[in-house]
Amino acid sequence: NIKINGVIDQRCRSWKDWHIIDLCCGNSLTAALALHLLSGVNVTAVDMVDQKNLPHFEAAGFIRPRFEYVQSDIMNDKDLVDTLRRRTSELTSCDANTSVTTVVFGMHCCGDLSLRAIE
């Protein structure tokens, strides 16, 4: 994860208009690293884990709109794609003069999870 963040950071100097969706984020380490290392990035983390088990974001000051956690079973949540589209639209509407580039990280998506991530 750190190596990937380093490569991406070399290519992008400003992360202000970027939105990372971290699918199957588990304990959200990738999301936390992105928020810490990539100034201005917006992150949406998605997993089945109850949000109360992820207290580190609020304690670190990462709150909406910069960070949002979506508790979801990506295999069975029929509204997930619409939820993520709404989140991206919210970020775009914060500043109508810019567009937001959205990147999906699926570090832990394998098998059928990867097919769902493609949706």
Side-chain angles (χ1 to χ4, degrees), residues 2 12 28-29 52 55 64 71 74 81 90-91 97 108-109:
I2 293 172
C12 304
S28 305
L29 180 58
K52 70 181 179 186
R64 281 185 62 97
Q71 184 177 359
I74 72 167
V81 173
E90 288 172 10
L91 294 172
N97 296 323
H108 304 288
C109 293

Side-chain angles (χ1 to χ4, degrees), residues 1 4 6 12 14-15 26 33 35 37 42-43 50 59 63 66-69 74 91 94 98 103 106 113:
N1 291 351
I4 290 171
C12 304
S14 172
W15 288 89
L33 282 171
L35 286 163
L37 297 173
N42 296 290
V43 176
D50 190 322
I63 56 174
R66 190 148 179 236
F67 174 76
E68 182 172 348
Y69 179 76
I74 72 167
L91 294 172
C94 289
T98 62
V103 179
L113 290 174

Side-chain angles (χ1 to χ4, degrees), residues 70-113:
V70 176
Q71 184 177 359
S72 173
D73 175 352
I74 72 167
M75 293 303 289
N76 297 310
D77 185 348
K78 305 222 181 305
D79 297 323
L80 180 61
V81 173
D82 289 334
T83 299
L84 296 175
R85 281 189 183 129
R86 271 193 304 277
R87 167 75 169 141
T88 300
S89 294
E90 288 172 10
L91 294 172
T92 302
S93 67
C94 289
D95 184 355
N97 296 323
T98 62
S99 62
V100 174
T101 301
T102 300
V103 179
V104 177
F105 284 0
M107 304 282 188
H108 304 288
C109 293
C110 56
D112 289 342
L113 290 174

Side-chain angles (χ1 to χ4, degrees), residues 26-29 31-32 51-62 67:
N27 288 328
S28 305
L29 180 58
Q51 187 170 2
K52 70 181 179 186
N53 295 324
L54 306 172
H56 46 280
F57 290 103
E58 191 172 312
F62 298 126
F67 174 76

Side-chain angles (χ1 to χ4, degrees), residues 3-35:
K3 179 148 177 84
I4 290 171
N5 283 336
V7 169
I8 293 172
D9 194 39
Q10 290 172 7
R11 297 191 193 320
C12 304
R13 296 295 170 219
S14 172
W15 288 89
K16 180 181 177 289
D17 301 320
W18 283 75
H19 174 214
I20 295 173
I21 298 173
D22 186 11
L23 286 179
C24 300
C25 65
N27 288 328
S28 305
L29 180 58
T30 301
L33 282 171
L35 286 163

